C-alpha cells in the first residue's frame, strides 16, 4: 500500500533539574522543537518539518520522547535537536538537552530498541550500585522486567480477548 | 458511524503505550495530602497498588486525561494516573514535592515499567487484522487463512486461537449430502417440495428462476422482470409479435348452484352503473368472459373490493341440467381474502364442506387428496430409511398446485339454505396469457386438436377413459369437430382484437410436447390459411357459437384424471429416442393425453380513440400439472416471456388500471400503497442527504404516498369557500369570480345554498335524487358541514359510473376542434358543461376520484407520484404566445425542518460529549440516551401534511400513479387520479379552447409541464 513514510526519533531528555520532568508535556515539547527548527532552519525548515510532525510518546519519569516526522525532512529535525538547551513551561526555564538514542522507520523498531536500551541501563545500574537496599530494589525491578517479558510471551499467545485474566495475574 | 470508528481506533491502540507525564498525575487537593517525599514510600505505594488494580478500558488515548472518577474513589490515596501500557506510577506532586535527588530505585522502577509497556506494545498484535494479514507480502502463502501450518511457526499458535474464535468460523454446512447427491433427481424434488411450502411456486417456477429476477409477493414466488435487458423488446413483442405470461397465480373461485340463487346473491355486490354485471345475457350463456367491479353488498359506490373477471359454464352439456350452473370468478390474489369473505357472506355459505364429509369430496378437492397422499413422502428421513430396508417406497411426487395448502383447512363451503357451493380453486388451473397479434398463429401452431378415438384401436392400455367415453357420444364428437374447425379458422385471423371481446372457445387438444419443433423458431402468420373467407367473416361477426364454449375443463374429475395421467417428460423423451427414424413424428396413439383447455380472448385497449385493440390476446386455461408442457411449445414458437413488470407495462399502455396499485379505494390497494411508500422511503433514506432531493424545498409534500382523502376533502372545502364568499377581497375570491363569469350560467346566491346542502345530503344518501334536496333543507348546511369531514373521512370512492364518466370525457376534450365536436355531438345528447350538470355528478359522488389519462404536450416523461396541477391564467397566456413554452417554474420553498434537524444534532452531540465525560470507563457499551423526539429525515415533510392543494403556486388536482415515456405515442404518458370536485371546478373555469390542459410536476423537479387530460370510457 502507498503510505507516508516517517522517521521516528527516540530521544532522551537529560536535565539536572528534577522540576524539568514536571513540565515535560507533549504539547510543550512539540512547541519547543518546532520553535527550535524555525530558529535554526528558518521558515522553510519549519514549514517542511511541520507536516506530519508529532510527539508520539513521552515518559516524564524516564525522560524518553518519541518524535515523528516525515522521512524527507528528518535530518532537519535531527540537526535542530542539539540546539534545544532549555525547557520552558509556565514561565519557568529549566536547562536540559535532548539526547537522540535511535532513529527508526516504525514505532515498533523504536519500541524494540527502547526495551534493549532500558535493559542495558538497568544492568549498568545494578553493576554500579553500592547501597544494599537500593541494590535489592533494582534487582527486583530487573527481575520483574524479565518476568514480564516471559509473561508477555505468554500473553502474546493468548488472544487479545483474554486480556483480563492476565492482568489479574499481575 | 464515528462511534464505530472510534472503537476501531481504540482497539487498535489498546496495546500502545500512552504518554506519561507528571502533570497528568497531580491534582491540587491530593498532591499535598499524600506527599511522602522519599523514594521508599513511593516504591511501597507502588507495590501496594500493583496487585488488584483492574485496568479500566479507555475508549481513547487520553493525553491529559482527567482521572477516572471511579478510580478516584476506589483508591484515592494511591493511584494518580494509569495507562494502558502497563505503566503505573505513584504521585509526584506539585513543584514543591519534587524530590531533591534521584534515587536509583525509582529510576529502575521507571525503566522497568517502561520496558514492560514497550514489551506489551511490541509483542502483541495491535491491528484489527488477522495474524496472517500482518505478515509481509513476500511471506504470505496460499491458503494461509485456511491452513494454520502454512504460517511461520511463531504465529501458528495465535492463528490457531484466532481460527477457533466464533467470528471467523465458517457457518456449519447444513447440507448433509454431497453435491452429487443433492443434484440427483429425487433429492432435488424433495428439496423443491420443501422450498415451496412457504411460498407457492408456479409450475414454471424453475424456468422463471433461471431467467428472471424473482420476488416473493402475495404468497407466491413470481418472476418480476427478465434478467436480460428487454423493456423495449417486450413492448415490441406486445405490439407486433407475442408476449407470454404465466398468470397462474390469479385465483379462481367457483360458485356452483342454481342460477337465480347465485345471481341474487351477487347482484348487490355489483352495480349496473359500472357496466354489465353477472346477469348480462352474453355472459350468462357462457359465450363471453365478463369483467365487473365488486363492492361490498349494497355499498356502491363506496367500499370497493376489486375488479374481477368471470366465466359462466355454458348451459349445454350432456351431464347437467340448467338447474345447476357453474361460475368461475378470477381475481388477483391480493383481493382474494376480502372478496371470498364477502361472497361467502352474500351466499350465506358458512359451512365448510370438509366437516360435512366426503359426499362432495371427489368433485371438490383433488389437491387436498394430493397433498394428503404426498404428506408421508415428505417426511424425508423415515422414508429413506425404509427404502434402505428393502421396502419399496413410492417415488417422490412433485408438488403440483398449491404446496402451501393445509389439508385441514376447508376450501369449499356450502350454503344450507340455497345449496350454493363456493370453492376455492386457486392453483387448480394454469392460466397462460398470450398478448399480441401473433398469439393466434402461436396457438394454432402449438396446439393440435385431439384425435378422435376410433373403435378399432385397443382400449385396454390407455388410461384416458374419459375421452373414449366421450368419443362414443356422437354429439360430443361433432362438437369436438366443430371446435376444431373454429380453432383452425382462428389461424387465419390477423389479430385477436378482431374477435369479439371476451370470446370463449373450449377445446380438447393433444399433447403439445409431441410436435415440438427441433429448434426455437418464430412463427409467421400464414395468409394461405384464410382462404375460407365467408366462414371467417361469420366468425368475426358473430363470434364463437355458444356450444363451442364448452370444455371438459369444467369437470373436476376429468381434470384430475388428466393431471394424473400425464406422461412424464422423461418417458416421452425415452420413447422419442426409441424411434426408428430419429427426429420423426412420435405417435403415441391412444395413450396420448387429451387435455381439455379453454381459450379466452382478452380484449386489449377498449377505451380511448387511438390504438384500439392494442394488447389483445388469448388466455389459455389448463388443468394443473400441464403448465410446462404448454409453456415450452409456446416459447419454441417465438413467444417472448414477460414478468410482473411487463404486466404493469401492458396495463399502462392499455390505459387500464393495474391491480392492485391503481385501486386506492379497495383494501388491497391501500395496503399496496403503504408497502410502496415504505419501500420508497427506505430507498430514499439509504442515500446521503446531499445526494437525494430535498422534497421540502421542492414543495413536494407527499413524494411517496398519495394523500387522496386529504386531497378530496380540501377540494370540497375549497369549492365550498369559493361559493360562500364570492365577494371576498382576497385574490383567490377574485379569481374565482373571474372564473365564474366564464361559466355559462350566472352565479346566483341560492347556488351556494344548493351546493352546501347537497354536500350535507349526500353524506347521508348519495343515491337520492337531487330534486328532493334542492327543495328541502335550505339553511342548515352550516352545522352539517362541520360534522361532514369526520363522518366521511374514511370513505374514498372512485368514480366508475359509466354515464358520468362519459359525460366527463366529453367535457374534458377541447370543444373548439370541429372534428371532435362532429364526433361527439350526435353520439348522445351530451349536456353542456353547466353548473347544474356538475353538481348532479358531484352530489352523487362526493369526494370522488376520477381515473384520467394524461399525455404531455411537449417534453418530459412523468413518473409515479407526479403531481397534477391546475394551470393559472398566465400560463395559458404564455402558452398562447409561445407554442413551445415548456411551463412555469415552481419557486423554491424554504425548509423549516433543516434548522430543527441541526439543533437536534447539536443537542445529541452535546449529550454524547457529556456522556463520554462521565462514562469513559463504561466504554462504548454505555449507549447514549435514545433521542426521545421522533427522528426527522432531512428532505421530507414530517408531521401532518399542511394544506396539500395550495401548498405550491399551482393548485394540486391529483397524482399520477403510472407514467412513463410511451413508445406507442412518442411522448410522455401518464395515468392517475384527480379529485372529481377539482376537475369539475377546473374545467368550468377554463376557456373552451384550452379545456383539459393541466400541469404536471415530477416530485423531484420544479418544472411544470403541460399535459392534456382525458377521461376514457
Amino acid at each position: 500500500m502507498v503510505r507516508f513514510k516517517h522517521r521516528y526519533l527516540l530521544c532522551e531528555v537529560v536535565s539536572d533539574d528534577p522540576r524539568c520532568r514536571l513540565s515535560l508535556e507533549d504539547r510543550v515539547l512539540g512547541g519547543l522543537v518546532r520553535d527550535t527548527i524555525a530558529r535554526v532552519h528558518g521558515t522553510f525548515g519549519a514549514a517542511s518539518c511541520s507536516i506530519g510532525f508529532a510527539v508520539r510518546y513521552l515518559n516524564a519519569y524516564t525522560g524518553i520522547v518519541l518524535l515523528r516526522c516525515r522521512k524527507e525532512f528528518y535530518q532537519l529535525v535531527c540537526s535542530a535537536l542539539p540546539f534545544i538547551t532549555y525547557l520552558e513551561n509556565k514561565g519557568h526555564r529549566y536547562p536540559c538537552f535532548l539526547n537522540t538514542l535511535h532513529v527508526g522507520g516504525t514505532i515498533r523498531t523504536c519500541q524494540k530498541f527502547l526495551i534493549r536500551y532500558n535493559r542495558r541501563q538497568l544492568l549498568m545500574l545494578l553493576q554500579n550500585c553500592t547501597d544494599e537496599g537500593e541494590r535489592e530494589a533494582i534487582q527486583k525491578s530487573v527481575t520483574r522486567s524479565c518476568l514480564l517479558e516471559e509473561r508477555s510471551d505468554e500473553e502474546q499467545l493468548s488472544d487479545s480477548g483474554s486480556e483480563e485474566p492476565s492482568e489479574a495475574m499481575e | 458511524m464515528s462511534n464505530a470508528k472510534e472503537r476501531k481506533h481504540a482497539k487498535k491502540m489498546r496495546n500502545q503505550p500512552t504518554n506519561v507525564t507528571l502533570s497528568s498525575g497531580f491534582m491540587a487537593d491530593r498532591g499535598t495530602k499524600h506527599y511522602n517525599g522519599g523514594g521508599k514510600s513511593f516504591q511501597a505505594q507502588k507495590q501496594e497498588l500493583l496487585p488488584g488494580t483492574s485496568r479500566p478500558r479507555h475508549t481513547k488515548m487520553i493525553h491529559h486525561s482527567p482521572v477516572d472518577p471511579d478510580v478516584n474513589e476506589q483508591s484515592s490515596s494511591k493511584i494518580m494516573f494509569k495507562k494502558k501500557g502497563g505503566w503505573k506510577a505513584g504521585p509526584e506532586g506539585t513543584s514543591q514535592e519534587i524530590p531533591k535527588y534521584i534515587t536509583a530505585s525509582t529510576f529502575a522502577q521507571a525503566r522497568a515499567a517502561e520496558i514492560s509497556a514497550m514489551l506489551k506494545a511490541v509483542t502483541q498484535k495491535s491491528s484489527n487484522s488477522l495474524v496472517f494479514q500482518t505478515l509481509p507480502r513476500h511471506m504470505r502463502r496460499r491458503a494461509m487463512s485456511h491452513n494454520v501450518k502454512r504460517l511461520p511457526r511463531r504465529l501458528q499458535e495465535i492463528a490457531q486461537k484466532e481460527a477457533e474464535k466464533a467470528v471467523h468460523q465458517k457457518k456449519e454446512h447444513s447440507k448433509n449430502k454431497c453435491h452429487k447427491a443433492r443434484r440427483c433427481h429425487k433429492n432435488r424434488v424433495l428439496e423443491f417440495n420443501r422450498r415451496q411450502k412457504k411460498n407457492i411456486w408456479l409450475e414454471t417456477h424453475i424456468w422463471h428462476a433461471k431467467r428472471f429476477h424473482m420476488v416473493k409477493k402475495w404468497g407466491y414466488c413470481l418472476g418480476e422482470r427478465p434478467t436480460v435487458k428487454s423493456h423495449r423488446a417486450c413492448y415490441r413483442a406486445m405490439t407486433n409479435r407475442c408476449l407470454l405470461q404465466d398468470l397462474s397465480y390469479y385465483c379462481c373461485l367457483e360458485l356452483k348452484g342454481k342460477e337465480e340463487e347465485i345471481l341474487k346473491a351477487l347482484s348487490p355486490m355489483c352495480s349496473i352503473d359500472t357496466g354489465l354485471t353477472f346477469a348480462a345475457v352474453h355472459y350468462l350463456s357462457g359465450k363471453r368472459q365478463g369483467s365487473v367491479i365488486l363492492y361490498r353488498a349494497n355499498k356502491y359506490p363506496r367500499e370497493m373490493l376489486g375488479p374481477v373477471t368471470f366465466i359462466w359454464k355454458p348451459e349445454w352439456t350432456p351431464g347437467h341440467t340448467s338447474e345447476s350452473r357453474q361460475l368461475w370468478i378470477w381475481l388477483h390474489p391480493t383481493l382474494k381474502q376480502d372478496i371470498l369473505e364477502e361472497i361467502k357472506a352474500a351466499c350465506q355459505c358458512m359451512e365448510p364442506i370438509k366437516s360435512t364429509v366426503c359426499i362432495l369430496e371427489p368433485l371438490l378437492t383433488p389437491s387436498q387428496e394430493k397433498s394428503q397422499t404426498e404428506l408421508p413422502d415428505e417426511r424425508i428421513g423415515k422414508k429413506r430409511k425404509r427404502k434402505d430396508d428393502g421396502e419399496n417406497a413410492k417415488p417422490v411426487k412433485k408438488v403440483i398446485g398449491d404446496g402451501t395448502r393445509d389439508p385441514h383447512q376447508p376450501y369449499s363451503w356450502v350454503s344450507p339454505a340455497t345449496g350454493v357451493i363456493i370453492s376455492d380453486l386457486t392453483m387448480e388451473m394454469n392460466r397462460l396469457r398470450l398478448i399480441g397479434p401473433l398469439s393466434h398463429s402461436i396457438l394454432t401452431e402449438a396446439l393440435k386438436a385431439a384425435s378422435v378415438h376410433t373403435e378399432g384401436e385397443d382400449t385396454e392400455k390407455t388410461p384416458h377413459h374419459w375421452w373414449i367415453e366421450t368419443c362414443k357420444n356422437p354429439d360430443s364428437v361433432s362438437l369436438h369437430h366443430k371446435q376444431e374447425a373454429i380453432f383452425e379458422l382462428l389461424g387465419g385471423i390477423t389479430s385477436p382484437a378482431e374477435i369479439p371481446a371476451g370470446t370463449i372457445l373450449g377445446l380438447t387438444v393433444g399433447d403439445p410436447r409431441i410436435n415440438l419443433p427441433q429448434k426455437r423458431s418464430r412463427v409467421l402468420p400464414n395468409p394461405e390459411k384464410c382462404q375460407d373467407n365467408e366462414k371467417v367473416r361469420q366468425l368475426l361477426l358473430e363470434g364463437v357459437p355458444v356450444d363451442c364454449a364448452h370444455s371438459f375443463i369444467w369437470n373436476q374429475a376429468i381434470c384430475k384424471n388428466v393431471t394424473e395421467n400425464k406422461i412424464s417428460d422423461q418417458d416421452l423423451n425415452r420413447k422419442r429416442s426409441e424411434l426408428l427414424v430419429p427426429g420423426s413424428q412420435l405417435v403415441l396413439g391412444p395413450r396420448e393425453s387429451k387435455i381439455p383447455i379453454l381459450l379466452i380472448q382478452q380484449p386489449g385497449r377498449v377505451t380511448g380513440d387511438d390504438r384500439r385493440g392494442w394488447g389483445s390476446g388469448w388466455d389459455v386455461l389448463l388443468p394443473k400439472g400441464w403448465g410446462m408442457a404448454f409453456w415450452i411449445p409456446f416459447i419454441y414458437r417465438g413467444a417472448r416471456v414477460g414478468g410482473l413488470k411487463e404486466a404493469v407495462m401492458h396495463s399502462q399502455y392499455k390505459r387500464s388500471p393495474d391491480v392492485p396499485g391503481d385501486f386506492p379505494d379497495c383494501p388491497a390497494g391501500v395496503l399496496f400503497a403503504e408497502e410502496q411508500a415504505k419501500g420508497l422511503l427506505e430507498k430514499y433514506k439509504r442515500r446521503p442527504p446531499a445526494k437525494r432531493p430535498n422534497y421540502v424545498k421542492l414543495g413536494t409534500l407527499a413524494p411517496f404516498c398519495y394523500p387522496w382523502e386529504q386531497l378530496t376533502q380540501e377540494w370540497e372545502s375549497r369549492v365550498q369557500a369559493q361559493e360562500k364568499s364570492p365577494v371576498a377581497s382576497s385574490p383567490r375570491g377574485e379569481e374565482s369570480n373571474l372564473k365564474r363569469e366564464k361559466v355559462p350560467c350566472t352565479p346566483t346566491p341560492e347556488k351556494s345554498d344548493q351546493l352546501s346542502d347537497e354536500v350535507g345530503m349526500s353524506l347521508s344518501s348519495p343515491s337520492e335524487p337531487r330534486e328532493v334536496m334542492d327543495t328541502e333543507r335550505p339553511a342548515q348546511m352550516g352545522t352539517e358541514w362541520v360534522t361532514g369531514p369526520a363522518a366521511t373521512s374514511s370513505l374514498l370512492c372512485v368514480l366508475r359510473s359509466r354515464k358520468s364518466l362519459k359525460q366527463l370525457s366529453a367535457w374534458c376534450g377541447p370543444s373548439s376542434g370541429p372534428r371532435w365536436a362532429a364526433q361527439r355531438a350526435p353520439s348522445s345528447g351530451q349536456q353542456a358543461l353547466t353548473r347544474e350538470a356538475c353538481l348532479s355528478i358531484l352530489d352523487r359522488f362526493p369526494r370522488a376520484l376520477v381515473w384520467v389519462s394524461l399525455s404531455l404536450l411537449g417534453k418530459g416523461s412523468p413518473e409515479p407520484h407526479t403531481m397534477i396541477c391546475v394551470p393559472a391564467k398566465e400560463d395559458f397566456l404564455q402558452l398562447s404566445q409561445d407554442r413551445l413554452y415548456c411551463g412555469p417554474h415552481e419557486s423554491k420553498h424554504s425548509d423549516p425542518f433543516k434548522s430543527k434537524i441541526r439543533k437536534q444534532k447539536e443537542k445529541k452531540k452535546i449529550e454524547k460529549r457529556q456522556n463520554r465525560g462521565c462514562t469513559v470507563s463504561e466504554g462504548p457499551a454505555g449507549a447514549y440516551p435514545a433521542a426521545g423526539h421522533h427522528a426527522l429525515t432531512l428532505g421530507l415533510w414530517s408531521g401532518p401534511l399542511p394544506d396539500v392543494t395550495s401548498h405550491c403556486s399551482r393548485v394540486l388536482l391529483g397524482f399520477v400513479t403510472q407514467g412513463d415515456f410511451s413508445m406507442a405515442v412518442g411522448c410522455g404518458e401518464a395515468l392517475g387520479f384527480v379529485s372529481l370536485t377539482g376537475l369539475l371546478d377546473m374545467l368550468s373555469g377554463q376557456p373552451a379552447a384550452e379545456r383539459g390542459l393541466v400541469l404536471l410536476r415530477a416530485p423531484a423537479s420544479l418544472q411544470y409541464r403541460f399535459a392534456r387530460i382525458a377521461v376514457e370510457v
Side-chain angles (χ1 to χ4, degrees), chain A residues 12 21 61-63 117-118 121-122 125 138 141, chain B residues 42 87 102-113:
Chain A
E12 191 181 24
R21 292 197 293 155
Y61 286 90
T62 53
Y117 174 77
N118 275 340
Q121 293 285 309
L122 279 179
L125 204 64
I138 293 165
S141 53
Chain B
F42 167 55
W87 170 268
I102 191 159
T103 55
S105 59
T106 33
F107 185 78
Q109 282 285 348
R111 299 279 151 169

Side-chain angles (χ1 to χ4, degrees), chain B residues 36-305:
Chain B
N36 283 314
K40 278 257 165 79
S41 60
F42 167 55
Q43 187 191 348
Q45 278 175 6
K46 213 167 168 194
Q47 296 300 339
E48 252 178 67
L49 62 91
L50 269 177
T53 45
S54 69
R55 183 181 301 173
R57 297 201 145 252
H58 293 249
T59 51
K60 220 183 159 186
M61 273 229 303
I62 301 154
H63 292 282
H64 298 276
S65 66
V67 177
D68 304 334
D70 54 341
V71 177
N72 275 345
E73 265 120 55
Q74 165 208 327
S75 58
S76 65
S77 64
K78 295 153 202 160
I79 190 143
M80 291 303 110
F81 58 89
K82 312 175 129 211
K83 65 183 202 72
K84 322 209 59 197
W87 170 268
K88 293 166 190 104
E92 300 258 337
T94 42
S95 57
Q96 70 263 31
E97 284 114 36
I98 292 287
K100 295 288 180 296
Y101 47 90
I102 191 159
T103 55
S105 59
T106 33
F107 185 78
Q109 282 285 348
R111 299 279 151 169
E114 200 174 49
I115 286 177
S116 67
M118 289 298 154
L119 264 177
K120 191 173 161 60
V122 169
T123 51
Q124 291 208 348
K125 80 178 180 75
S126 57
S127 58
N128 297 320
S129 49
L130 300 173
V131 178
F132 63 87
Q133 288 170 335
T134 58
L135 272 177
R137 207 151 267 223
H138 68 277
M139 288 177 75
R140 294 201 189 160
R141 293 292 176 267
R142 194 167 56 83
M144 218 173 224
S145 61
H146 179 68
N147 189 355
V148 178
K149 294 204 169 151
R150 304 241 176 206
L151 280 164
R153 194 162 294 159
R154 65 185 170 89
L155 296 176
Q156 278 183 9
E157 267 186 277
I158 312 174
Q160 188 77 49
K161 285 248 167 57
E162 229 162 41
E164 278 163 16
K165 245 167 109 182
V167 187
H168 306 302
Q169 216 129 50
K170 262 191 205 159
K171 241 194 225 164
E172 195 50 50
H173 228 36
S174 62
K175 280 135 196 167
N176 44 5
K177 293 176 204 131
C178 68
H179 176 78
K180 209 173 172 186
R182 264 183 278 136
R183 297 291 292 181
C184 100
H185 180 74
K186 191 189 70 185
N187 290 333
R188 250 173 124 183
V189 171
L190 278 176
E191 177 69 7
F192 287 164
N193 287 351
R194 185 187 64 77
R195 270 157 57 188
Q196 52 187 307
K197 269 180 196 161
K198 207 174 236 172
N199 287 294
I200 305 172
W201 282 8
L202 305 186
E203 279 170 29
T204 53
H205 177 89
I206 303 290
W207 190 93
H208 271 106
K210 288 172 183 169
R211 295 162 181 87
F212 277 65
H213 293 287
M214 302 301 285
V215 288
K216 293 195 170 69
K217 248 185 177 177
W218 314 314
Y220 294 85
C221 273
L222 301 175
E224 203 204 358
R225 65 200 145 94
T227 47
V228 294
K229 206 173 175 182
S230 63
H231 184 72
R232 196 171 282 261
C234 283
Y235 168 74
R236 284 204 199 108
M238 275 190 259
T239 323
N240 302 327
R241 290 191 286 277
C242 180
L243 188 86
L244 180 62
Q245 281 178 318
D246 191 355
L247 291 189
S248 306
Y249 61 92
Y250 265 67
C251 302
C252 179
L253 301 179
E254 187 190 56
L255 268 71
K256 233 182 209 178
K258 284 187 191 135
E259 187 179 306
E260 309 89 64
E261 296 290 349
I262 294 178
L263 285 179
K264 207 174 84 188
L266 291 181
S267 64
M269 291 179 63
C270 46
S271 166
I272 198 85
D273 224 11
T274 59
L276 296 175
T277 61
F278 290 104
V281 181
H282 273 312
Y283 302 153
L284 204 56
S285 65
K287 200 175 163 189
R288 302 275 170 84
Q289 174 189 248
S291 69
V292 77
I293 288 168
L294 291 184
Y295 292 83
R296 276 197 200 287
N298 298 320
K299 285 283 173 58
Y300 176 79
R302 301 188 183 280
E303 298 202 38
M304 207 268 286
L305 286 174

Side-chain angles (χ1 to χ4, degrees), chain A residues 18 21-22 24-26 57-62 64 108 111 115 118 134 141 148-149 155 160 163-164 167, chain B residues 14 16 18-23 55 57 64 87 90 98-99 104 108 111 114-116 118 121-122 124:
Chain A
R21 292 197 293 155
L22 183 66
L24 196 59
E25 283 172 27
D26 56 348
Y57 172 72
L58 180 146
N59 192 335
Y61 286 90
T62 53
I64 298 293
R108 203 174 144 85
Q111 283 169 339
I115 293 166
N118 275 340
E134 296 247 308
S141 53
L148 259 175
E149 192 179 4
E155 264 175 41
S160 54
E163 248 176 38
E164 280 83 2
E167 290 311 315
Chain B
R14 106 204 117 184
Q16 292 298 321
T18 44
N19 288 351
V20 182
T21 52
L22 291 175
S23 54
R55 183 181 301 173
R57 297 201 145 252
H64 298 276
W87 170 268
I98 292 287
R111 299 279 151 169
E114 200 174 49
I115 286 177
S116 67
M118 289 298 154
V122 169
Q124 291 208 348

